[in-house]
Amino acid sequence: MSMPALEIHISPDDVDQSLVDDVRDGLTASPKNLQPKWFYDEQGSKLFEQITALPEYYPTRTEKAILAAHADDIVDATGMTTLVELGSGSSEKTRLLLDAGLKGGTLATYVPQDVSVTALQGAVEELAQEYPGLDVAGIVSDFTDTVASIPVRPNRTVAFLGGTLGNLVPEQRAAFLSDIAAALRPDEHLLIGVGLVIDPAVLVPAYDDAQQVTAEFNLNVLSVLNARLGADFDLDGFEHVAIWDAENEWIEMRLRSRRAQDVRIADLDLDVSFTEGEEMRTEISAKFHRTGITDELATAGFGVEQIWTDADERFAVVLGRKR
């Protein structure tokens, strides 16, 4: 059996240049910031897998339980022939939709998208063996490049799971959702997973766990810059911070400088100074109300057909139809 080839729209050089641009822009901004997509080197991915198993971190298992309970409903509502998943990773949760789609007799094609050639190739080969009757066609791209990431296929449902929508600030979310709508035909679907606004006493520990795995994950982004850009960040010189921003309704992860220090990023010929106590944002994770996500989807061109949540209303899987 021949393994499926990947459709590649972004090269390693493109990714490297994106890293350079993001780091230069972020470390010369005020306040300083780094983009969360750079968390995920091999070590960062392993740490995130550990995070998803922590007792405090409810989003992954909650979303999976919602999908397990409603995968058949999703397939019935969409009649999906093609499932496109943005930011697919290992496609673990998506198997629930693949199983339901094949059982329902409609699903013919699965298109996983990811920025990592290596990770996607492994996932695609595994899926092709696991689902021999399914056409698996991987796309290597930046998920925000919806023209490249959403190919023209019959009766598409685009899945964007894991709460990743919340990593985008409102202006980015609006542009991204509108771009997805522009790529879809009327009556095609968008399926997204979003965290809901809940008690900060439950929410904050999900991003600041007792075992400090999230702290290690956050600090690891500095190791990525050291390895890939010749930086000399001292990881012991920073500490993990997670706060709830009630005004913006998002969790904000930061790295706080423990002392005044200077950092050299050799490949950028850039010197960066941190004052004692200075904080650098590394991620936001916006949370939503039902009305808020419905309004954002409506503005982009989607009507919300269904919102499924867990019993505690901590997470939602939302199905929108292109108008």
Side-chain angles (χ1 to χ4, degrees):
M1 173 179 168
S2 62
M3 290 296 104
L6 302 182
E7 187 176 312
I8 297 177
H9 294 273
I10 187 169
S11 71
D13 287 344
D14 294 330
V15 175
D16 289 345
Q17 186 60 52
S18 179
L19 173 62
V20 166
D21 293 341
D22 284 351
V23 172
R24 187 184 299 279
D25 291 346
L27 293 186
T28 57
S30 182
K32 299 180 180 71
N33 66 85
L34 294 173
Q35 296 297 315
K37 62 184 176 182
W38 305 116
F39 281 133
Y40 298 97
D41 67 343
E42 182 177 359
Q43 176 65 4
S45 297
K46 289 178 180 177
L47 288 168
F48 185 71
E49 287 301 312
Q50 293 177 36
I51 288 170
T52 63
L54 292 169
E56 299 97 329
Y57 194 79
Y58 61 87
T60 300
R61 61 176 173 268
T62 304
E63 182 181 46
K64 185 175 182 178
I66 295 169
L67 290 172
H70 297 290
D72 289 341
D73 299 326
I74 292 166
V75 169
D76 288 344
T78 62
M80 65 174 74
T81 303
T82 304
L83 176 62
V84 179
E85 184 178 14
L86 303 179
S88 60
S90 64
S91 304
E92 180 185 356
K93 286 178 290 190
T94 319
R95 283 169 166 78
L96 297 164
L97 296 174
L98 300 183
D99 291 341
L102 290 170
K103 182 179 71 173
T106 62
L107 185 64
T109 302
Y110 173 50
V111 183
Q113 175 278 331
D114 203 277
V115 73
S116 169
V117 174
T118 304
L120 190 59
Q121 186 69 61
V124 164
E125 291 179 1
E126 185 176 313
L127 287 161
Q129 292 181 351
E130 190 173 342
Y131 296 94
L134 187 66
D135 176 21
V136 181
I139 291 180
V140 179
S141 65
D142 185 313
F143 72 78
T144 60
D145 182 1
T146 53
V147 172
S149 302
I150 304 175
V152 177
R153 296 290 180 93
N155 189 19
R156 294 163 296 179
T157 293
V158 174
F160 191 51
L161 303 173
T164 309
L165 184 70
N167 294 148
L168 306 177
V169 299
E171 296 79 11
Q172 292 171 325
R173 290 201 305 266
F176 175 60
L177 292 172
S178 295
D179 286 348
I180 294 176
L184 295 181
R185 308 179 189 93
D187 295 327
E188 293 186 314
H189 290 85
L190 171 63
L191 184 74
I192 56 174
V194 294
L196 299 176
V197 175
I198 61 170
D199 184 351
V202 175
L203 187 53
V204 174
Y207 298 85
D208 194 13
D209 61 280
Q211 297 180 51
Q212 294 294 291
V213 181
T214 310
E216 187 179 355
F217 172 72
N218 195 8
L219 286 161
N220 183 68
V221 74
L222 303 181
S223 297
V224 172
L225 304 193
N226 288 349
R228 295 185 60 178
L229 295 177
D232 62 359
F233 281 98
D234 176 7
L235 273 62
D236 291 333
F238 293 85
E239 61 183 341
H240 167 69
V241 178
I243 65 161
W244 170 244
D245 182 331
E247 180 179 355
N248 289 305
E249 295 190 315
W250 65 46
I251 283 283
E252 194 162 304
M253 292 208 320
R254 304 171 181 171
L255 290 172
R256 178 186 293 147
S257 182
R258 296 178 184 271
R259 61 179 186 272
Q261 56 185 309
D262 297 318
V263 176
R264 174 74 176 165
I265 299 94
D267 292 3
L268 275 61
D269 191 22
L270 180 65
D271 295 296
V272 182
S273 296
F274 290 85
T275 59
E276 182 178 355
E278 182 178 355
E279 294 180 348
M280 173 172 60
R281 188 173 79 186
T282 53
E283 182 181 67
I284 67 164
S285 184
K287 307 306 173 186
F288 299 83
H289 299 279
R290 286 171 177 259
T291 53
I293 190 61
T294 298
D295 289 347
E296 288 193 33
L297 287 168
T299 299
F302 292 97
V304 170
E305 293 198 327
Q306 185 69 49
I307 299 177
W308 295 280
T309 70
D310 59 296
D312 295 323
E313 295 266 330
R314 294 180 176 184
F315 202 93
V317 173
V318 183
L319 180 65
R321 181 193 292 264
K322 167 73 180 292
R323 291 197 297 258

